[in-house]
Amino acid sequence: KQEVTQIPAALSVPEGENLVLNCSFTDSAIYNLQWFRQDPGKGLTSLLLIQSSQREQTSGRLNASLDKSSGRSTLYIAASQPGDSATYLCAVRPGSGGGADGLTFGKGTHLIIQP
Amino acid sequence: GAVVSQHPSWVICKSGTSVKIECRSLDFQATTMFWYRQFPKQSLMLMATSNEGSKATYEQGVEKDKFLINHASLTLSTLTVTSAHPEDSSFYICSATGQVTEAFFGQGTRLTVV
């Protein structure tokens, strides 16, 4: 059974710092990996999607990497801003279903950016 | 990204009643829709997968007779929590996937059973 772990569980840093969020998964047979942002009591906003054949994806100040063989992904946030404060979720889609299966989520990293 | 609309965003119901939650893909055809549940400070857990026109596939431990899922069209799926009890109180959220296997999520529904 796939398990997704996110470290750290919580992180508080001053505005302007660069930071790295970590995600690991136990079964490397994934179809893709997705990073989401969740604000309190809200739904999920997709940040980056990395297909299993890709090594990284970038969007603005965000960069996500994927090392499928070792079961790891990182989300790099550059020049953090208070508006980045949220819970960041990592999720993997299993490779066996051709992309039609549901996601397995980590518990998230609760990020606070101090003004 | 694509837009998925979920309604209602919150609902309070009495124990023993049923509640229906709607999930719509607004600008794409969702071949597959997923329903998740999130308890406080826990990760999202997949409840069921539904494909248009066919019966939903439920994850182990999820009662199919309690959580009725209908996916009648490529843009609409509904989750009905039947005979709700306080332990069913949770955050329910749907996700839709089309030809591109990126998952797009609704805003979620906070269900409180009193």
Side-chain angles (χ1 to χ4, degrees):
Chain A
K1 180 185 173 185
Q2 178 75 272
E3 291 184 5
V4 179
T5 303
Q6 290 187 245
I7 294 173
L11 182 63
S12 180
V13 300
E15 179 179 6
E17 283 199 8
N18 303 323
L19 51 98
V20 175
L21 308 182
N22 297 290
C23 172
S24 61
F25 45 95
T26 54
D27 185 349
S28 62
I30 64 170
Y31 191 87
N32 58 34
L33 181 145
Q34 212 164 338
W35 282 93
F36 296 89
R37 168 188 174 136
Q38 184 177 29
D39 292 286
K42 304 291 185 182
L44 276 64
T45 300
S46 179
L47 299 174
L48 290 165
L49 169 71
I50 309 179
Q51 302 294 350
S52 61
S53 59
Q54 297 176 323
R55 299 284 290 183
E56 68 176 337
Q57 283 288 335
T58 299
S59 175
R61 294 182 294 108
L62 305 179
N63 175 275
S65 69
L66 173 64
D67 184 344
K68 197 177 90 160
S69 60
S70 67
R72 298 184 185 204
S73 175
T74 61
L75 179 66
Y76 176 83
I77 303 176
S80 58
Q81 302 170 358
D84 295 331
S85 299
T87 296
Y88 289 81
L89 297 167
C90 168
V92 297
R93 189 183 296 278
S96 57
D101 293 328
L103 301 175
T104 300
F105 282 85
K107 289 187 177 182
T109 293
H110 181 53
L111 176 64
I112 297 175
I113 307 299
Q114 306 155 11
Chain B
V3 179
V4 176
S5 177
Q6 188 172 337
H7 176 81
S9 56
W10 62 270
V11 59
I12 301 174
C13 71
K14 291 185 177 181
S15 185
T17 62
S18 296
V19 173
K20 180 184 283 189
I21 303 170
E22 289 189 351
C23 178
R24 294 181 183 271
S25 57
L26 298 185
D27 53 0
F28 70 103
Q29 292 187 326
T31 51
T32 309
M33 285 188 171
F34 306 89
W35 288 94
Y36 296 82
R37 180 169 52 185
Q38 185 180 35
F39 291 108
K41 300 192 184 300
Q42 298 296 315
S43 61
L44 280 77
M45 298 297 294
L46 179 66
M47 298 175 65
T49 301
S50 73
N51 293 293
E52 184 258 343
S54 61
K55 289 184 178 181
T57 302
Y58 291 81
E59 296 299 302
Q60 191 173 10
V62 177
E63 301 174 57
K64 62 179 181 181
D65 294 331
K66 181 169 188 60
F67 298 100
L68 302 180
I69 293 173
N70 183 278
H71 192 165
S73 75
L74 283 172
T75 59
L76 174 64
S77 176
T78 59
L79 168 68
T80 302
V81 182
T82 63
S83 187
H85 291 284
E87 57 265 32
D88 298 324
S89 299
S90 185
F91 187 69
Y92 294 86
I93 190 166
C94 70
S95 168
T97 301
Q99 292 187 339
V100 176
T101 55
E102 182 172 2
F104 299 100
F105 282 78
Q107 306 94 314
T109 298
R110 173 73 59 192
L111 170 64
T112 303
V113 185
V114 297

